[in-house]
Amino acid sequence: TAHERIEADLVVLATGVNTRTPLDPAWGYRPPRTEIMAQDEVLAPGGFLDDRVHIFFDHPPGLIFGGLIPKGRYANISLLGRKLPPDAVSDFLEGHDLMRLFPDGAPTLCGCTPRVVVSPASGYYADRFVAVGDAAVTRLYKDGIGAAFVTSEAAARAAVQRGVAREDFAAGYRPVCQRIAADNRYGELLFRSWDLIRRLPFLLNAWRGAIVTEADRPPATQIYTRVLWGMFTGDESYRQIVLLSISRPALLGFWRGALRRGKNQWREATPG
C-alpha cells in the first residue's frame, strides 16, 4: 500500500469497476471494458405507470434500453447506452413525454452514473491472485450480484480444493468465467438483432404482430414475450433465449405476425 508492504497467501480483487484497480501493472491484470449507465429515482405521482415494468428505446441518442420500475412510492430509472449525455435522465423523461406526469417537475433523488462491464477482464488470475465479480466477468447488462456470487464461489472452491497457483485457477476457476463470457456473446447477438429489428419497420411490425397473436395463449407459450422479458431481466441465459427465438414455433409465430400486420395494413389502406 502507500504506507506498508504485506505478504499474503492469496490476493483476491473484488473491487468492481467503479474504482481504479489498486494493482500494480506488474500483476498483468487488465480491467474489463465498461460503458456508462445512468440511474436515478423519482417520487412517483399517483397512478404513475401502474405497477408494471416499462421498457423504452431510441431516446436519448445512444440508448440501448431504458427501464422504469415502480417501487412503492418511487420509480427507479435505469438507462443503459453508449456515450449517454450528462443530462440523460431528464432528456429521457422529456423525450418520451413522461414529464407531463410531473406538473411541478420531476425531482430526482439519488442519481448516479455507474459503469457496467461489457467484456471480460484479462489476466484475472495468476499465482496466488484471483479477481472475482465485475473485476473478472459478469453477465452482459445484467445482475452484478449474481455473477459476483458465482465467480466468488468458483474461485473459493478452486483455492480450497485445488490450490492457489495459476494452474489451479486455470483448471477450477477459468471454465466458470469462460461460460459466462461465452453466454455474453449470445447476448451481444440478441441486442444487435433487436437493434436491427427496431430500425426496419417490416421486421418490427412482424414482431409486434407475433406478440399480439400470442397474447391470449398461456404464458408458457408466449415465446416472443418471453424472449423480450428474458433479454431485459436476465431470467434466462442468453443462449437459451437465442435458441428459443429461432425455434420452429418462434419462426412460425413471426411469420403469422408478419401476415397479420400485413393484412391489417392492407385493410387500413383499402377504401371502403
Side-chain angles (χ1 to χ4, degrees):
T1 70
H3 307 289
E4 60 182 325
R5 183 182 182 92
I6 303 171
E7 184 174 343
D9 294 320
L10 174 64
V11 173
V12 180
L13 181 68
T15 59
V17 291
N18 285 289
T19 184
R20 192 177 68 176
T21 174
L23 298 179
D24 187 276
W27 288 78
Y29 168 78
R30 284 187 293 178
R33 288 187 296 106
T34 59
E35 293 281 1
I36 299 290
M37 70 179 300
Q39 287 190 319
D40 216 317
E41 208 162 68
V42 294
L43 186 64
F48 180 66
L49 296 175
D50 51 58
D51 60 349
R52 293 177 294 175
V53 173
H54 292 253
I55 302 296
F56 298 83
F57 305 99
D58 299 328
H59 192 86
L63 184 73
I64 297 174
F65 67 88
L68 270 173
I69 304 102
K71 295 183 177 180
R73 296 173 53 213
Y74 304 91
N76 176 265
I77 302 169
S78 293
L79 308 182
L80 184 67
R82 301 181 180 92
K83 298 181 180 179
L84 293 175
D87 58 345
V89 171
S90 58
D91 197 10
F92 167 78
L93 292 172
E94 291 175 1
H96 291 282
D97 196 27
L98 295 171
M99 288 299 294
R100 60 184 172 78
L101 299 172
F102 303 91
D104 300 323
T108 54
L109 303 176
C110 54
C112 61
T113 52
R115 294 183 176 274
V116 291
V117 174
V118 294
S119 78
S122 60
Y124 57 86
Y125 65 89
D127 287 324
R128 296 163 60 187
F129 163 71
V130 65
V132 297
D134 282 3
V137 65
T138 192
R139 294 188 67 200
L140 184 67
Y141 306 146
K142 292 299 173 285
D143 58 326
I145 293 177
F149 174 80
V150 170
T151 55
S152 297
E153 181 188 41
R157 191 179 300 277
V160 171
Q161 295 181 352
R162 293 177 179 269
V164 294
R166 176 188 295 272
E167 55 268 25
D168 296 319
F169 289 121
Y173 179 56
R174 181 175 61 181
V176 173
C177 296
Q178 287 178 327
R179 282 196 293 271
I180 296 174
D183 192 61
N184 285 344
R185 287 192 282 273
Y186 286 99
E188 292 172 1
L189 174 63
L190 280 169
F191 281 101
R192 288 177 182 173
S193 300
W194 178 241
D195 187 58
L196 175 64
I197 288 171
R198 290 191 298 109
R199 295 176 187 275
L200 298 176
F202 171 75
L203 293 178
L204 184 59
N205 286 334
W207 191 286
R208 287 172 175 164
I211 290 178
V212 171
T213 299
E214 68 182 14
D216 296 329
R217 298 176 185 170
T221 62
Q222 294 179 4
I223 294 177
Y224 282 87
T225 303
R226 180 178 160 190
V227 167
L228 286 180
W229 181 257
M231 284 177 61
F232 301 126
T233 64
D235 278 2
E236 300 181 70
S237 72
Y238 286 127
R239 181 177 182 274
Q240 288 174 316
I241 298 171
V242 167
L243 294 178
L244 178 66
S245 64
I246 60 175
S247 63
R248 185 171 180 272
L251 296 177
L252 286 174
F254 188 81
W255 175 250
R256 294 189 186 111
L259 291 177
R260 176 174 181 152
R261 295 295 296 186
K263 289 178 181 178
N264 289 341
Q265 290 177 352
W266 181 80
R267 289 178 186 142
E268 293 170 1
T270 302

